[in-house]
Amino acid sequence: MIDLLTPGDVYSHIMMMRNHENGPICVVEGKSDYGALVEHLDEPVVKLIVANGRQNVQGAMQIVAISELAGVFAVIDSDLDAFRGVVNEIPAVFYSEMHDLEADIFLLPRIADRIIHNYADSDRLKSHLGELGAIRPSKHVVQMASVLGLVRYISVANRIGLNLSEIPYNKVLSKDKLSLDYKSLARIILGKSKKCTINYDQILNLITICDEFDHISEVLCRGHDLCGLTAACLRSWWGANVPTDTIERTLRSALNCGELLKLNVRAQVAEWAEAAGHKVWDCDAA
């Protein structure tokens, strides 16, 4: 796979591909998106390009629009745009409904629960959830990921400078209930945030307030947080030592044709393809 470093690199690769192929070209952010979509696109007619980053995709697609190059589309993550109501103005760029494509898949009905039940020790899972009066394990994973997402959003919106990347999820779980350990999380975030504008007590207060919201939007859930917290719950509570990347790969593999049809981004791409006279998706019903 070619390393593309700039929007210009991506556009040049699109042009090189267009000189040899007449079919649709799909541009995605990263290898994980490639892994999720490659089996569902109508290959070899549709060609996939990994642009190595959201800005590379957006920049390249702006050049595509200016040059009026037909038959090129992109699927990228919304990040926080969906929550902020930012409108996409770049033609043929289609965004995930949630924070990212992995979150779109994780939040499909029952997918995450099937993955958890497949890996977990059934007795430990039933015992742990029974003690908490819980039915669906994924519901609690989503709640924890939503808190991280809301803290991240508030930090970005207010320029607080909190670093929530690469959180060691197994170290931020409460030992006695299915939730986050506020104090451990606050200490870890503070240690990672070299340029933050608030202190430990203020971070702790922010996390506590965020976790008290009754309805935090699932749009804020980052796919990596959802998978990482799932892996941490399996290791800490549910009797299975499963790495985060295994959960992520399993999640992408769980996206069959039936599940793909439920994704909003699939419908958007299908509508674009029909108007452009292309067949993009390999699924018969798509």
Side-chain angles (χ1 to χ4, degrees):
M1 195 171 293
I2 299 173
D3 286 332
L4 303 174
L5 304 178
T6 68
D9 290 341
V10 178
Y11 180 72
S12 295
H13 193 55
I14 291 171
M15 288 301 299
M16 181 176 66
M17 193 171 284
R18 174 56 76 229
N19 288 335
H20 297 88
E21 306 288 345
N22 294 322
I25 298 172
C26 175
V27 186
V28 296
E29 283 188 51
K31 293 180 181 178
S32 63
D33 305 305
Y34 177 94
L37 297 178
V38 64
E39 289 300 315
H40 297 294
L41 293 169
D42 187 24
E43 287 198 311
V45 177
V46 180
K47 300 300 180 182
L48 262 170
I49 293 176
V50 177
N52 294 319
R54 190 172 190 261
Q55 292 183 340
N56 279 353
V57 178
Q58 291 175 315
M61 291 303 293
Q62 286 175 330
I63 303 172
V64 166
I66 292 169
S67 63
E68 298 183 346
L69 184 64
V72 183
F73 71 100
V75 175
I76 67 173
D77 298 338
S78 291
D79 289 353
L80 294 174
D81 286 357
F83 188 75
R84 294 185 296 178
V86 175
V87 178
N88 167 41
E89 296 181 350
I90 308 174
V93 175
F94 306 102
Y95 289 75
S96 61
E97 185 174 6
M98 301 298 171
H99 184 281
D100 50 58
L101 187 58
E102 279 190 341
D104 274 4
I105 302 169
F106 191 99
L107 293 166
L108 286 171
R110 302 296 179 185
I111 276 194
D113 289 312
R114 291 203 303 267
I115 292 171
I116 292 169
H117 282 284
N118 184 67
Y119 284 117
D121 178 281
S122 59
D123 291 335
R124 289 184 61 174
L125 180 63
K126 289 176 183 177
S127 174
H128 191 237
L129 295 178
E131 291 172 2
L132 299 165
I135 299 174
R136 292 178 53 211
S138 66
K139 177 181 178 181
H140 299 279
V141 173
V142 171
Q143 171 63 20
M144 291 187 285
S146 296
V147 172
L148 295 180
L150 183 54
V151 172
R152 184 181 291 110
Y153 171 74
I154 291 173
S155 175
V156 171
N158 295 279
R159 299 182 180 180
I160 296 173
L162 300 181
N163 181 359
L164 277 80
S165 64
E166 302 304 323
I167 294 289
Y169 301 104
N170 60 308
K171 295 182 179 180
V172 300
L173 298 184
S174 171
K175 290 183 172 57
D176 58 353
K177 59 180 181 177
L178 192 55
S179 66
L180 296 168
D181 182 327
Y182 302 159
K183 293 181 180 179
S184 296
L185 179 58
R187 283 194 296 269
I188 288 170
I189 292 175
L190 180 62
K192 293 171 62 65
S193 306
K194 306 304 180 184
K195 297 181 179 180
C196 70
T197 60
I198 58 178
N199 60 32
Y200 166 80
D201 289 332
Q202 291 170 312
I203 296 173
L204 179 59
N205 185 54
L206 174 60
I207 295 168
T208 304
I209 292 172
C210 287
D211 205 8
E212 289 174 351
F213 275 85
D214 290 332
H215 301 288
I216 305 177
S217 176
E218 292 180 345
V219 173
L220 291 171
C221 290
R222 196 172 64 128
H224 187 68
D225 288 340
L226 290 165
C227 293
L229 286 165
T230 298
C233 290
L234 284 164
R235 286 195 299 272
S236 299
W237 296 322
W238 302 332
N241 186 16
V242 185
T244 298
D245 68 330
T246 299
I247 298 296
E248 291 174 332
R249 290 174 185 273
T250 305
L251 183 68
R252 293 192 289 271
S253 298
L255 185 66
N256 57 33
C257 273
E259 304 294 355
L260 176 71
L261 290 170
K262 300 173 186 176
L263 293 182
N264 185 55
V265 70
R266 183 220 65 88
Q268 293 178 33
V269 171
E271 184 178 350
W272 169 86
E274 183 177 4
H278 297 300
K279 182 178 184 293
V280 168
W281 300 113
D282 191 45
C283 297
D284 292 338

